[in-house]
Amino acid sequence: MSLKNKFREKYQNFRRLLYSVKRSFGLHRRDEKIWKTLIDLHKSAGYHFGVFENERYIETIFTNDNNESIKFHFRIEADNLVYSALILPEFDVDRTNDILVLSAHFNSLLTFGMVRVDLKNNYVELVHKESLVSYHFFSGEIMNDLRRHYNVANDCLWAYNEMITSGEDPVFIMSELLRRIEKENDTTNA
């Protein structure tokens, strides 16, 4: 048997093994399971949301303590659950440099998600991707990540709004945000 045929045989055996492992853990249906879980979580929490089955995303608008609305999208894409929050639906082109600097500060500190700035359409969003495999085995983590995404989005919204309204430098805005978070953590831990 030639080396090429041996490799082909080993590869086919590996694929069969992988397929049987996927079937035994139900991984071949994980996107359907996660999609249903995500919809059920929105229903049970009483959120006002829209489900777009053909595009495979859920849209929810949450209002924070300051009565500001944030539009969230949750979609399944390439074996990931993608969380997206529209932080600034639009911004003044003259503030682009400050927007980019503040985004760079966020991205250097964030462990959950990434701030993206779309310069073509002038908007800012917070995006996080998580593997469906982890949610398949730990479905309770979806709600934890929903809360976490909401909290980080609120921090981002506060920072961008504060920078735009006050005209302060992004470095000062970020340091003020970090002080606010530290103060909140001190009061919760006390």
Side-chain angles (χ1 to χ4, degrees):
M1 187 180 280
S2 73
L3 184 61
K4 184 179 178 182
N5 287 341
K6 283 182 181 180
F7 178 75
R8 182 178 295 138
E9 183 182 332
K10 294 282 186 194
Y11 179 72
Q12 288 173 343
N13 288 340
F14 176 73
R15 286 192 54 162
R16 283 188 205 109
L17 176 66
L18 185 61
Y19 181 74
S20 66
V21 168
K22 279 182 155 183
R23 288 199 59 79
S24 66
F25 283 118
L27 296 177
H28 64 291
R29 298 183 319 262
R30 71 176 166 245
D31 58 340
E32 285 302 318
K33 179 186 174 200
I34 303 301
W35 179 248
K36 185 174 176 356
T37 302
L38 191 60
I39 292 171
D40 291 345
L41 280 173
H42 276 74
K43 285 179 183 175
S44 66
Y47 299 148
H48 296 287
F49 65 98
V51 177
F52 301 88
E53 288 287 343
N54 292 340
E55 295 84 9
R56 298 290 282 193
Y57 75 89
I58 296 173
E59 182 176 284
T60 308
I61 297 177
F62 292 113
T63 306
N64 64 12
D65 295 337
N66 298 332
N67 220 17
E68 300 166 313
S69 297
I70 305 173
K71 186 186 293 186
F72 289 84
H73 281 174
F74 309 100
R75 67 184 178 278
I76 294 178
E77 172 183 290
D79 285 335
N80 291 305
L81 178 54
V82 181
Y83 301 77
S84 175
L86 189 60
I87 304 300
L88 288 179
E90 60 185 7
F91 61 85
D92 185 10
V93 178
D94 296 336
R95 300 300 309 259
T96 301
N97 191 42
D98 289 339
I99 298 286
L100 289 171
V101 169
L102 187 57
S103 299
H105 284 295
F106 269 113
N107 288 333
S108 69
L109 296 173
L110 282 176
T111 58
F112 184 90
M114 178 179 113
V115 176
R116 288 188 187 163
V117 179
D118 186 320
L119 297 175
K120 183 178 177 184
N121 299 310
N122 290 349
Y123 70 86
V124 178
E125 68 178 338
L126 173 68
V127 178
H128 176 71
K129 290 183 181 183
E130 191 66 47
S131 170
L132 293 180
V133 174
S134 62
Y135 293 135
H136 180 80
F137 292 111
F138 307 103
S139 61
E141 287 301 309
I142 294 175
M143 192 57 159
N144 292 336
D145 285 351
L146 284 170
R147 286 187 194 107
R148 196 170 175 195
H149 191 248
Y150 173 80
N151 291 334
V152 173
N154 272 320
D155 290 340
C156 290
L157 181 64
W158 178 87
Y160 283 99
N161 284 342
E162 186 68 20
M163 183 184 69
I164 289 169
T165 57
S166 71
E168 285 288 336
D169 190 81
V171 173
F172 296 123
I173 297 299
M174 187 55 73
S175 65
E176 178 61 30
L177 176 63
L178 293 173
R179 272 194 291 269
R180 285 172 44 121
I181 292 172
E182 187 177 310
K183 187 177 178 181
E184 286 174 15
N185 287 341
D186 289 345
T187 57
T188 351
N189 293 334

